[in-house]
Amino acid sequence: MPFKKSLERTPWWLVTIIIIALVLLWNMISDQSYQRIAGALSEGLLTTIGVTFTAFILASFLGLLIALAGFSRYRLLRECARFYVEIFRGIPVLVLLFYIAFVGAPEMVKLYNWALQMPIEAGWIEKARTRDFSLLWRAIIALAISYSAFIAEVFRAGIQEVGKGQIEAAKALGLSNWHRFRLITLPQAMRKILPPLGNDLVAMIKDSALVSVLGVQDITQLGKVFSSSTFQFFETYNVVAFMYLILTLSLSLMIRAFESHLRRNDHH
C-alpha cells in the first residue's frame, strides 16, 4: 500500500522530462559534435539570462508604478494606467519588439537630441545617433514594456488582497501613505504576488528567444547561425531546446517549492 501510494503521488511528467534531459545531457557529454555545439551556444546562454533578468527587473519596477497609478486618487492617473495596461497587453511581443527597435528607438534619439539641443550645439556633449542605440537594449526595453502591463495586473491583484481593515488601522495610527504601503500593504501583497511573478519570469525566458529576430546573439540566434553553417539542424536545436528546458524547468520547480513553503506557513 505505501508503495502504491508513492506511485500515485509520483509526478511522472517530471520523471519523463528528467529522463529526456539526462539523455540529451549524456549526448552532449559523450558526442563531440554536441560538445562543439554546446560550446558555440554557451555565450548565447549568458546573453539570454542577462536579457531576461534585466528586462524582468525593469518590467517589475514599471509594473509596480503602473499598478500604484491605478490606485491613485486622481482619475487622470487611473485612466492612464488602465490605458497603458490594455494597450500593451493587446500587442504581441514580436510586434512590439519591431516597433521599439525600428520606430521607438529612432524617435527616442530624436527626443534626446531635441531636449539637449543647447549643450550639443555648444559642443559639451555629442549628438546621439540611432546606430549608437544597441539592438540589445532595444530588445530589453521592448520586453520590459510588454511584460510590465501583465506584471502591473499581478501587483494590482496582490494589493487588492490586503484587508481594508488593516489599512484603516494604519491610518488611525497616523501612518503616511508611503509608510502604509511600505510597512503594511507591500509585505503582505508580496506573498500573493511572488508566485505569479515567477511564472511571468519563466514566460519571459521563452519569449526572450524573439530577440533573435534583431540579431541579438542569444541561444536561438547562435543556434540559427551554427546550424546554417554546419547543417547540423537536428543536433543544434536539440541543444537549444535543452538549454531553454533547463532554464524554465529549474525556475518552475523553484516556484512550486516556494508556493508549497508559503502554503505551509499559512497553515501554521
Side-chain angles (χ1 to χ4, degrees):
M1 289 296 292
F3 178 71
K4 185 178 180 180
K5 287 184 178 180
S6 64
L7 286 178
E8 292 175 352
R9 294 174 182 173
T10 300
W12 291 108
W13 63 270
L14 179 58
V15 173
T16 305
I17 291 175
I18 291 174
I19 292 173
I20 294 172
L22 289 175
V23 170
L24 289 172
L25 181 61
W26 173 253
N27 286 332
M28 290 173 61
I29 295 173
S30 60
D31 191 316
Q32 288 188 350
S33 63
Y34 273 101
Q35 291 176 12
R36 188 169 63 254
I37 295 168
L41 302 188
S42 59
E43 185 176 342
L45 177 63
L46 296 176
T47 301
T48 294
I49 293 173
V51 166
T52 300
F53 281 91
T54 304
F56 185 76
I57 291 171
L58 292 175
S60 298
F61 179 73
L62 184 56
L64 177 59
L65 293 181
I66 297 299
L68 293 178
F71 290 103
S72 172
R73 69 179 70 175
Y74 302 108
R75 183 176 180 182
L76 178 60
L77 281 179
R78 296 198 305 270
E79 294 291 339
C80 288
R82 195 72 248 162
F83 175 83
Y84 181 96
V85 169
E86 295 301 332
I87 287 294
F88 289 113
R89 282 201 309 176
I91 300 176
V93 179
L94 184 59
V95 175
L96 187 60
L97 196 67
F98 283 132
Y99 191 88
I100 294 297
F102 302 118
V103 179
E107 292 302 318
M108 282 189 274
V109 170
K110 289 180 183 177
L111 179 62
Y112 173 87
N113 290 332
W114 174 80
L116 300 177
Q117 184 176 1
M118 291 183 62
I120 289 173
E121 291 178 349
W124 297 339
I125 58 176
E126 293 186 3
K127 185 178 181 179
R129 296 169 297 182
T130 302
R131 65 171 178 263
D132 295 330
F133 199 152
S134 72
L135 290 173
L136 178 66
W137 275 104
R138 299 185 201 191
I140 289 173
I141 291 172
L143 281 175
I145 291 175
S146 179
Y147 269 82
S148 65
F150 296 94
I151 291 175
E153 288 295 276
V154 172
F155 275 113
R156 181 187 62 80
I159 291 171
Q160 285 181 331
E161 287 288 324
V162 180
K164 292 183 178 179
Q166 299 184 53
I167 305 299
E168 295 300 325
K171 288 181 180 179
L173 292 173
L175 294 179
S176 64
N177 290 338
W178 164 244
H179 283 96
R180 288 199 302 271
F181 175 74
R182 183 172 64 87
L183 298 176
I184 296 174
T185 305
L186 187 60
Q188 295 187 62
M190 290 305 291
R191 296 174 66 83
K192 303 290 185 181
I193 289 169
L194 286 178
L197 275 184
N199 293 331
D200 282 334
L201 177 57
V202 172
M204 186 180 281
I205 288 177
K206 292 184 291 184
D207 280 342
S208 71
L210 295 173
V211 306
S212 63
V213 300
L214 299 182
V216 176
Q217 301 294 299
D218 70 327
I219 298 172
T220 304
Q221 175 65 11
L222 291 182
K224 287 194 296 186
V225 172
F226 188 90
S227 60
S228 61
S229 62
T230 62
F231 297 101
Q232 292 181 305
F233 295 99
F234 178 77
E235 296 86 350
T236 300
Y237 284 105
N238 275 345
V239 176
V240 170
F242 174 78
M243 288 183 171
Y244 279 111
L245 178 64
I246 292 299
L247 287 174
T248 56
L249 183 60
S250 58
L251 268 175
S252 295
L253 291 176
M254 284 190 288
I255 292 167
R256 286 173 180 267
F258 180 72
E259 289 176 345
S260 299
H261 174 72
L262 287 181
R263 282 195 297 267
R264 286 196 299 270
N265 286 347
D266 288 339
H267 290 319
H268 293 314

